[in-house]
Amino acid sequence: MGSLFRSEEMTLAQLYLQTDAAYHCVSELGELGLVQFRDLNPDVNAFQRKFVNEVRRCDEMERRLRFLLKEIEKATITVVDNGDVPDAPPPQDLIELEAQFEQLETETREINANQERLNRNFLELTELKHILRQTANFFDEAEMARGHGSDFQTDDTAALLEDRGHHSSPLSFVAGVINRSRVPTFERLLWRACRGNVFLRYQEIDVELSDPVSGDPMNKCVFMIFFQGDQLRSRVKKICEGFRATLYPCPESAGERREMAMGVSTRIEDLSTVLSQTSDHRYRVLQAIAKNIHVWTIKVKKIKAIYHTLNLCNMDVTQKALIAECWCPVADLERIQVALRRGQEHSGSAVPSILNVMSSKRKPPTYNKVNKFTSGFQNIVDAFGVASYREVNPAPYTIITFPFLFAVMFGDCGHGLLMFLFALYMVLNEKKLAFLKGGEIFGTFYSGRYIILLMGAFSMYTGLLYNDCFSKSFNIFGSSWHVNGDPNTWPETGKALDLDRDFDHHDPYPLGIDPIWQLATNKLTFTNSFKMKLSVVLGVGQMMFGVVLGIFNYLYFKKKTDIFTVWLPQILFLGCIFGYLVVMIFFKWSMVTSSFLHEEGGAPSLLITLINMFLSFGSVTKENLFYDGQAGIQSVLVVVAVLCVPCMLLIKPILIYRERKRRSASGYGEFGGEVVSATVNDDGEQQVVSRSEPGEDEEEETSMGDIFVLQAIHTIEFCLGCISNTASYLRLWALSLAHAELSEVLWNMMFQKGLKMNNLGAGQGFVIFAVFAVWAVLTICILLIMEGLSAFLHALRLHW
């Protein structure tokens, strides 16, 4: 299996990079993606590192790009993304990019400011036009009402609207616009503050206005306030200011209003032309930016990542070279050397970069090589936890177990075929679909296209085993059940058939479940029993396989004591209880015949047998007896399983304690933070030799109390996990049953009823088409998407 079976073998390497070539070398290593740098300045503040100014410049460029992208999104312009991933530009291009981004930001802000100013002027002119129109209507209505003696002049307002020449103080008015939502409060406050000495008229503007800054729609009203005296004028203006109402000058004579309205209309037309030209210019500028902003963003991110990596390095004493430490795969050292030489050539430096492999006791990081097929399954495994360095990688086995467990819950040939074809389309067109902006949901489906492909293929296989295709069965080989006696002697034609009583079963069906079960009255009883036992068999098998994989880790890391103190007790505990249950399931399938079922009490219960192994130790009742000597064998299995618990709990901590005691007696100990040993030299004198610094290359030694507690936690977790996980695997049966029953309900309640409509004549074809369309939509939405997502999540849980 090589690196697929385990993570890559890693080594710690030291890099000596000439200052002028460091940028290009790190850039090439980043493109290669095989190096993980260590921070050699953990105690240095981020603002005190050598390349902090370059990182700040990159942050500023990112801010400008975010501003430009926000403006592009406001203008509903599509960002061009053709999938190109440019290399990191040379460091001298940083100044050019900064100047270009600054110029674009300045130009965009100026265009926005000009457009905002023009929009504000346009809004003011539009409001003034509506004020002039509505005030003319107000005065015309007043004149008409006065001429006809209308009720327009009420007792409260008659004095205000009479001829202004008869009063010592002339009647004045102000006009403006206000938000529609503020009108009721505005009117009430005016009445109370002015004590009823003002007259307010308002009218809604029938045209929807836009905010000059945000572009949001606004609904406003034109108002006129009539009053007398400068004191009321001051009070009215303060109230208008408080409600953010905009006041506009409005002439008193009708001729002046008409002249002013004509001038406003002319200015609005001219301003509309300028606004259109400004908007077109802004759109062209943003469209040009949208063609390159994706590439610019990648470049800036790469530059920032390079300088961030360079901040992890140390300067040598001559200040002419950078020293870096990194983890890299042993198998790819030659590729890393080639990348360093390529970086040196790009920089034009004559001094080569040096890669020095170091020996270290530090724990290396875990690195698993993946491709487009295995990456999805590796992500599933890493979501639960990344394996330790050089441990067995579960991802290769997940490629099989994950889609298979999904298919056990989703088993249907028809549904699996639809899922397989959907994934196959994405796989065959993956290059074209890679650049498609389909949103987060489509991106998730596209990333897991190979997982969906295998889930569909395995679902077709389990659908064949279940003999289920859109809730219908295949009759490929003919039924293996035969009728007892002559069917003509049956008393009634509509007799329900029970396969256990009315049929004899001779030869097994070649593949999967016999199609005759589709017509049997006890179909649900049979499929429930079969799928429940199958779930237990698969669950115990997967748990056993996971425990067996542990021995490869113990052998690789040379932990032979763990094989006998941890691994062997776990295998025995799991096998003696749940492995025995699996054996009894196959025994019951193989040895219990139909004649056994007709005996009093029926076949023995597996669940009762398992429970009585512990509750009725050493004895087996007649109704739970499968074979001779069952009580003795079960007693031995229970004893072995119970003895495995203290073995897992105590033996390993006791051995660690004895080993530490032996080391302490031989002269090893800890002094001044260092592990030291006492030895005797050639002259017979005792001397102290330093061994290592635990804080530098080795993990600190765990106390014995923590070891006992940790071992107790692992033991309890394993024992309880065996029970809970076995029960948890019953979800395979539950979801498979739910999927099959829901598929059958959709068929019987929708499509089958449409097929039975034989008295519609020419309209029958249309009805069948309509019913099929509804059935197909419900099948895709409920059974494929919702049930598929449910089975996917449960399969994730079973791999935890």
Side-chain angles (χ1 to χ4, degrees):
M1 295 286 288
S3 62
L4 191 62
F5 183 75
R6 295 187 184 278
S7 60
E8 288 287 324
E9 184 179 356
M10 307 290 287
T11 184
L12 185 64
Q14 193 172 44
L15 295 175
Y16 292 89
L17 307 174
Q18 202 252 348
T19 305
D20 296 335
Y23 179 92
H24 293 86
C25 290
V26 172
S27 174
E28 292 295 331
L29 292 177
E31 298 291 342
L32 196 60
L34 294 172
V35 174
Q36 178 178 322
F37 285 86
R38 293 185 63 248
D39 190 0
L40 301 182
N41 308 297
D43 299 328
V44 179
N45 191 285
F47 300 101
Q48 297 176 345
R49 304 204 177 193
K50 181 175 178 59
F51 300 98
V52 63
N53 291 329
E54 285 79 2
V55 174
R56 286 177 175 173
R57 290 163 66 186
C58 291
D59 287 336
E60 180 63 18
M61 287 192 292
E62 283 186 330
R63 183 197 62 78
R64 287 171 174 161
L65 288 175
R66 286 195 300 270
F67 166 75
L68 295 174
L69 183 60
K70 186 177 179 181
E71 294 298 318
I72 291 172
E73 291 174 351
K74 284 183 180 179
T76 63
I77 300 174
T78 303
V79 176
V80 177
D81 180 11
N82 53 11
D84 293 340
V85 181
D87 295 334
Q92 56 268 24
D93 289 357
L94 184 62
I95 300 176
E96 181 182 347
L97 288 174
E98 280 184 305
Q100 186 177 9
F101 297 161
E102 184 180 3
Q103 178 185 357
L104 290 174
E105 183 190 20
T106 303
E107 183 180 2
T108 305
R109 290 188 182 278
E110 288 179 355
I111 295 174
N112 290 343
N114 293 335
Q115 191 173 28
E116 181 181 337
R117 185 167 55 253
L118 291 174
N119 284 331
R120 186 174 285 107
N121 292 338
F122 184 80
L123 176 65
E124 292 174 354
L125 291 174
T126 304
E127 291 177 348
L128 180 57
K129 181 182 73 172
H130 285 283
I131 287 176
L132 294 174
R133 182 186 302 170
Q134 296 299 335
T135 51
N137 293 337
F138 290 159
F139 283 116
D140 291 343
E141 290 176 3
E143 293 295 334
M144 292 176 60
R146 182 179 303 166
H148 293 83
S150 174
D151 292 338
F152 179 77
Q153 296 185 30
T154 62
D155 294 338
D156 296 330
T157 60
L160 289 172
L161 296 178
E162 287 179 355
D163 185 14
R164 285 172 284 176
H166 297 133
H167 298 274
S168 59
S169 177
L171 181 66
S172 303
F173 70 92
V174 293
V177 293
I178 188 172
N179 282 334
R180 185 189 301 173
S181 59
R182 297 175 181 169
V183 169
T185 310
F186 179 64
E187 183 178 9
R188 188 162 51 249
L189 185 60
L190 272 176
W191 179 263
R192 293 178 179 177
C194 300
R195 299 183 181 181
N197 293 319
V198 296
F199 175 65
L200 172 67
R201 287 293 305 273
Y202 62 87
Q203 181 66 40
E204 294 182 4
I205 299 178
D206 52 359
V207 179
E208 191 177 70
L209 305 176
S210 299
D211 187 273
V213 179
S214 63
D216 297 334
M218 299 185 301
N219 296 312
K220 291 191 174 184
C221 292
V222 174
F223 67 87
M224 289 186 67
I225 305 174
F226 296 90
F227 53 86
Q228 285 182 332
D230 294 336
Q231 185 178 2
L232 284 179
R233 177 187 296 273
S234 175
R235 191 174 301 176
V236 166
K237 286 186 175 181
K238 287 182 178 179
I239 294 174
C240 292
E241 182 180 352
F243 279 86
R244 297 182 182 179
T246 307
L247 300 180
Y248 291 94
C250 183
E252 295 187 4
S253 65
E256 291 178 350
R257 286 196 297 271
R258 283 193 297 270
E259 184 179 354
M260 189 175 184
M262 294 175 59
V264 168
S265 299
T266 304
R267 291 176 60 188
I268 287 177
E269 292 177 359
D270 297 338
L271 196 56
S272 298
T273 304
V274 176
L275 265 175
S276 177
Q277 294 176 352
T278 304
S279 298
D280 292 341
H281 175 62
R282 180 175 182 271
Y283 186 85
R284 288 193 298 269
V285 171
L286 293 178
Q287 197 172 31
I289 296 173
K291 294 179 180 179
N292 301 308
I293 192 168
H294 178 70
V295 175
W296 290 338
T297 303
I298 295 176
K299 287 183 177 181
V300 172
K301 287 183 177 180
K302 286 190 174 184
I303 296 173
K304 184 179 179 181
I306 291 172
Y307 283 117
H308 176 73
T309 303
L310 292 176
N311 276 333
L312 305 178
C313 306
N314 270 337
M315 293 292 295
D316 71 336
V317 292
T318 62
Q319 300 292 315
K320 294 182 179 180
L322 288 173
I323 303 173
E325 289 185 5
C326 60
W327 293 103
C328 50
V330 175
D332 295 311
L333 286 175
E334 183 61 31
R335 295 177 61 189
I336 296 173
Q337 292 277 16
V338 172
L340 290 175
R341 288 195 292 269
R342 193 161 54 243
Q344 175 196 344
E345 293 172 359
H346 291 167
S347 65
S349 173
V351 180
S353 301
I354 300 173
L355 175 66
N356 179 30
V357 178
M358 304 168 58
S359 60
S360 174
K361 293 183 179 179
R362 295 187 181 94
K363 190 174 182 179
T366 301
Y367 171 65
N368 295 298
K369 282 187 177 179
V370 295
N371 52 39
K372 61 183 180 181
F373 177 75
T374 60
S375 61
F377 298 98
Q378 189 67 56
N379 290 334
I380 290 176
V381 173
D382 293 343
F384 298 119
V386 179
S388 298
Y389 174 67
R390 298 296 288 169
E391 279 189 347
V392 172
N393 183 18
Y397 313 105
T398 307
I399 296 175
I400 302 299
T401 59
F402 184 85
F404 179 71
L405 290 183
F406 171 87
V408 171
M409 296 178 279
F410 195 76
D412 189 291
C413 287
H415 301 154
L417 178 62
L418 294 177
M419 183 178 292
F420 178 81
L421 293 177
F422 171 70
L424 184 63
Y425 171 79
M426 289 194 294
V427 170
L428 296 178
N429 299 276
E430 57 185 12
K431 292 184 178 179
K432 182 175 24 176
L433 297 176
F435 311 125
L436 182 64
K437 301 275 186 181
E440 184 179 358
I441 295 178
F442 176 79
T444 303
F445 281 122
Y446 178 78
S447 300
R449 58 193 181 278
Y450 289 100
I451 300 178
I452 300 175
L453 184 75
L454 289 185
M455 290 192 307
F458 276 81
S459 296
M460 288 191 290
Y461 169 70
T462 54
L464 285 175
L465 295 183
Y466 294 158
N467 206 345
D468 197 358
C469 180
F470 297 117
S471 76
K472 299 286 108 179
S473 296
F474 296 111
N475 190 7
I476 302 175
F477 305 102
S479 176
S480 295
W481 291 84
H482 302 284
V483 180
N484 281 329
D486 185 4
N488 296 325
T489 61
W490 290 350
E492 58 272 359
T493 57
K495 178 182 178 182
L497 302 180
D498 190 325
L499 292 185
D500 288 334
R501 295 177 174 84
D502 298 325
F503 289 84
D504 276 338
H505 181 254
H506 296 281
D507 299 322
Y509 191 72
L511 179 64
I513 297 177
D514 196 304
I516 197 64
W517 285 105
Q518 187 72 19
L519 306 175
T521 57
N522 57 343
K523 170 195 172 184
L524 196 58
T525 303
F526 166 74
T527 54
N528 267 347
S529 175
F530 171 74
K531 292 182 178 180
M532 186 185 301
K533 293 180 177 65
L534 184 65
S535 301
V536 174
V537 171
L538 294 176
V540 174
Q542 187 176 19
M543 289 191 296
M544 185 69 72
F545 179 72
V547 176
V548 169
L549 285 181
I551 194 172
F552 295 100
N553 290 330
Y554 297 136
L555 292 175
Y556 180 83
F557 294 110
K558 298 179 180 179
K559 298 179 179 180
K560 295 182 178 179
T561 56
D562 288 353
I563 296 177
F564 299 99
T565 60
V566 178
W567 182 81
L568 188 58
Q570 288 180 349
I571 286 288
L572 291 176
F573 181 85
L574 185 59
C576 289
I577 300 176
F578 301 100
Y580 176 72
L581 176 61
V582 172
V583 172
M584 293 302 295
I585 289 174
F586 283 102
F587 180 83
K588 186 174 180 180
W589 279 342
S590 305
M591 304 304 295
V592 177
T593 61
S594 59
S595 60
F596 202 130
L597 299 176
H598 289 290
E599 296 180 4
E600 185 178 355
S605 171
L606 292 171
L607 180 60
I608 299 301
T609 300
L610 183 65
I611 294 174
N612 287 340
M613 280 178 61
F614 296 89
L615 298 184
S616 301
F617 179 75
S619 63
V620 177
T621 58
K622 182 180 179 181
E623 55 270 16
N624 293 323
L625 184 64
F626 280 92
Y627 57 89
D628 296 334
Q630 180 177 343
I633 293 177
Q634 291 183 172
S635 300
V636 173
L637 294 177
V638 170
V639 170
V640 173
V642 172
L643 290 178
C644 287
V645 176
C647 291
M648 288 186 285
L649 181 63
L650 300 174
I651 295 180
K652 182 179 178 180
I654 291 174
L655 291 178
I656 294 176
Y657 174 75
R658 290 181 60 185
E659 175 64 19
R660 290 187 178 183
K661 191 174 181 181
R662 185 187 63 79
R663 288 176 56 193
S664 178
S666 63
Y668 287 92
E670 189 172 322
F671 179 78
E674 294 185 355
V675 177
V676 298
S677 62
T679 60
V680 180
N681 58 17
D682 296 337
D683 299 331
E685 298 177 351
Q686 191 178 42
Q687 61 181 8
V688 176
V689 180
S690 173
R691 304 291 294 179
S692 65
E693 297 181 3
E696 180 183 347
D697 284 344
E698 295 181 353
E699 296 182 359
E700 294 185 3
E701 202 171 59
T702 308
S703 65
M704 285 306 304
D706 292 341
I707 290 176
F708 272 101
V709 171
L710 188 63
Q711 192 65 24
I713 292 174
H714 281 295
T715 302
I716 296 172
E717 181 184 15
F718 177 80
C719 295
L720 295 181
C722 289
I723 302 171
S724 63
N725 289 336
T726 302
S728 183
Y729 274 95
L730 291 176
R731 70 186 67 208
L732 296 174
W733 152 63
L735 266 75
S736 175
L737 176 65
H739 186 84
E741 291 301 312
L742 188 56
S743 178
E744 186 173 355
V745 167
L746 280 181
W747 179 275
N748 294 335
M749 300 299 293
M750 295 293 303
F751 202 29
Q752 192 176 53
K753 287 188 175 182
L755 294 175
K756 289 181 178 180
M757 295 180 181
N758 299 323
N759 55 352
L760 297 179
Q764 184 177 1
F766 176 77
V767 171
I768 292 177
F769 177 80
V771 171
F772 171 78
V774 175
W775 173 79
V777 170
L778 292 177
T779 298
I780 293 174
C781 295
I782 298 178
L783 293 178
L784 280 180
I785 299 178
M786 294 179 58
E787 284 284 321
L789 179 60
S790 175
F792 180 86
L793 295 176
H794 283 286
L796 280 178
R797 163 62 184 88
L798 294 178
H799 279 76
W800 175 62

